[in-house]
């Protein structure tokens, strides 16, 4: 979660017994690299202890931008060499190939991470992407459904969390080359019920994005976090579409490529106006005095009702902004009760 998951959130998530990660974002420039260093330093400071072993450092990279330039490859290799994180997470896409200088051989981002001893987690939204990551040597698969918040596969290319997670479990468990690789479900999961459901599918765990965005330790605007806990916000108010990305890409130095140029997001006035009218929106963007871009910038400067807030479909079951430690411990307790007691009743 670039811009959301920093060193403090990662540290508190780890303290609760889960695996917290730092979002590196578009790691292709010196300012981005400096920002990541600051968050790693904060993670180290927050987790420093004389009695307990240090929790693992995990860093997530947006690959379409990070590995789009020689600078991105260089900065990332320098980071891996310096910090040797326990694990890295790759997304959008999960595998990026790179030719050698004389084009006689190729390498990829997974090979690069493993060269520095990192466990590799790959987040995918399709079966094809999962197979590519497995063949490339990933150590863990995150099955991201279209109910997820933030960037992910367009609805036309992706699948719901239940469908993609269960399918990837079947693929991994049926092949002896891969049957020890964990599969984690992501998308619309915000509590212990969602975790128990993921485990029932055969997954080894679940990823919590929106729920931890709505935490005290998450980075970002406090009013936008509070919007996630608004009782008027539920799955009907969340949509996955390309409006935000179309507008953001027009002014961004790191535009999101197809099929990852869609976002799970809370509806606002601009989304309601332009959803289903992308051709008209593109025509507006081609004008020198484009009103749509001015409206877009104004919306993001405005209050939380006007802003573009990334969110998954499970947001309706978030009612408060809590500490990450408390969120994780509550999820664990809820899942244990369901598995140990509630499900047993079905067999009686």
């Amino acid at each position: 979660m670039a811009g959301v998951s920093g060193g403090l959130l990662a540290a508190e998530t780890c303290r609760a017994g889960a695996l917290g990660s730092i979002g590196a974002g578009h790691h292709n420039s010196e300012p981005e690299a400096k920002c990541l260093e600051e968050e790693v330093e904060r993670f180290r400071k927050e987790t420093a202890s004389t009695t307990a072993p240090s929790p693992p450092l995990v860093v997530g990279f947006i690959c379409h931008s990070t590995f789009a330039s020689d600078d991105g490859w260089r900065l990332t290799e320098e980071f891996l060499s310096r910090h040797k994180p326990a694990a890295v997470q790759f997304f959008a896409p999960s595998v990026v190939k790179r030719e050698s200088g004389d084009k006689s051989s190729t390498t990829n981002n997974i090979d690069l991470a493993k060269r520095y001893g990192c466990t590799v987690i790959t987040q995918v939204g399709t079966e094809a992407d999962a197979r590519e990551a497995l063949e490339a040597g990933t150590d863990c698969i995150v099955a991201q459904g279209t109910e997820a918040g933030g960037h992910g596969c367009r609805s036309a290319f992706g699948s719901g969390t239940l469908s993609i997670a269960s399918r990837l479990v079947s693929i991994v468990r049926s092949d002896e080359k891969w049957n020890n690789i964990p599969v984690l479900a992501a998308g619309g999961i915000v509590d212990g019920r969602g975790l128990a459901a993921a485990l029932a599918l055969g997954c080894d765990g679940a990823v919590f994005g929106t729920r931890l965005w709505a935490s005290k330790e998450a980075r970002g605007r406090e009013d936008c976090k509070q919007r996630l806990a608004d009782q008027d916000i539920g799955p009907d108010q969340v949509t996955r579409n390309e409006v935000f990305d179309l507008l953001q890409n027009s002014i961004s130095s790191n535009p999101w490529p197809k099929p990852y140029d869609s976002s799970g997001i809370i509806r606002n006035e601009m989304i309601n106006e332009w959803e289903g009218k992308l051709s008209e929106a593109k025509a507006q963007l081609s004008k020198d005095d484009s009103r749509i871009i001015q409206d877009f910038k104004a919306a993001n400067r405005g209050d939380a009702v006007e802003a573009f807030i990334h969110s998954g479909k499970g947001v309706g079951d978030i009612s408060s902004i809590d500490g990450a430690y408390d969120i994780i411990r509550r999820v664990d307790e809820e899942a244990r009760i369901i598995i140990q007691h509630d499900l047993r009743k079905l067999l009686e």
Side-chain angles (χ1 to χ4, degrees), residues 107-135:
T107 186
N108 60 51
N109 53 314
I110 292 179
D111 293 337
L112 174 64
K114 292 202 167 189
R115 195 181 308 156
Y116 293 97
C118 305
T119 295
V120 176
I121 304 165
T122 49
Q123 181 173 304
V124 301
T126 67
E127 179 179 336
D129 284 351
R131 290 186 181 277
E132 182 182 24
L134 289 165
E135 293 289 354

Side-chain angles (χ1 to χ4, degrees), residues 142-307:
V142 175
Q144 185 195 41
T146 52
E147 298 96 326
H151 284 95
C153 282
R154 294 184 184 185
S155 296
F157 295 95
S159 301
T161 304
L162 188 153
S163 300
I164 188 65
S166 59
R167 177 58 181 153
L168 297 192
V169 167
S170 296
I171 290 171
V172 168
R173 301 294 177 257
S174 64
D175 193 313
E176 62 180 14
K177 294 184 300 183
W178 303 326
N179 59 20
N180 290 322
I181 291 178
V183 177
L184 309 179
I189 300 173
V190 299
D191 55 23
R193 294 175 299 170
L195 173 57
L199 297 175
L201 292 175
C203 293
D204 300 276
V207 176
F208 290 76
T210 302
R211 186 60 192 95
L212 289 174
W213 167 206
S215 71
K216 294 177 180 177
E217 295 83 4
R219 299 167 63 197
R221 285 172 49 177
E222 292 300 323
D223 60 336
C224 290
K225 285 197 232 178
Q226 195 60 50
R227 180 77 167 150
L228 298 172
D230 190 329
Q231 289 307 290
D232 293 330
I233 301 298
D236 291 352
Q237 286 72 47
V238 174
T239 180
R240 173 163 293 281
N241 63 52
E242 296 137 54
V243 174
F244 170 80
D245 290 272
L246 176 65
L247 302 177
Q248 181 67 28
N249 281 354
S250 70
I251 58 174
S252 173
S253 59
N254 294 295
W256 284 76
K258 184 180 179 180
Y260 310 106
D261 56 343
S262 79
S263 295
I265 206 160
I266 295 176
R267 290 184 175 279
N268 63 9
E269 185 176 331
M270 287 200 73
I271 287 176
N272 290 334
E273 179 180 359
W274 294 106
E275 188 174 33
K277 298 191 294 185
L278 291 180
S279 295
E280 295 177 40
K282 290 177 182 177
Q284 280 278 340
L285 289 172
S286 66
K287 298 179 180 179
D288 291 336
D289 58 345
S290 176
R291 173 185 65 83
I292 193 172
I293 284 299
Q294 301 307 315
D295 290 347
F296 176 68
K297 292 178 178 179
N300 281 318
R301 291 194 302 266
D303 63 27
V305 174
E306 298 174 337

Side-chain angles (χ1 to χ4, degrees), residues 1-10 13 20-24 39 212 217-219:
M1 297 189 293
V4 172
S5 185
L8 179 57
L9 178 56
T13 302
S21 65
I22 297 172
E39 293 303 327
L212 289 174
E217 295 83 4
R219 299 167 63 197

Side-chain angles (χ1 to χ4, degrees), residues 70-126:
D70 288 341
D71 281 346
W73 283 92
R74 174 183 58 80
L75 289 167
T76 302
E77 183 163 12
E78 289 174 356
F79 175 83
L80 296 177
S81 175
R82 183 162 52 253
H83 292 287
K84 295 181 172 59
V88 294
Q89 181 172 331
F90 293 135
F91 167 62
S94 58
V95 181
V96 181
K97 296 177 182 178
R98 187 190 197 194
E99 291 184 336
S100 62
D102 59 5
K103 298 185 178 181
S104 62
S105 62
T106 61
T107 186
N108 60 51
N109 53 314
I110 292 179
D111 293 337
L112 174 64
K114 292 202 167 189
R115 195 181 308 156
Y116 293 97
C118 305
T119 295
V120 176
I121 304 165
T122 49
Q123 181 173 304
V124 301
T126 67

Side-chain angles (χ1 to χ4, degrees), residues 15-18 324-334 336:
R15 188 169 74 88
Y325 179 90
D326 293 331
I327 291 170
I328 297 299
R329 299 311 302 166
R330 185 164 59 246
V331 165
D332 181 74
E333 182 180 1
E334 289 170 352
R336 287 176 183 275

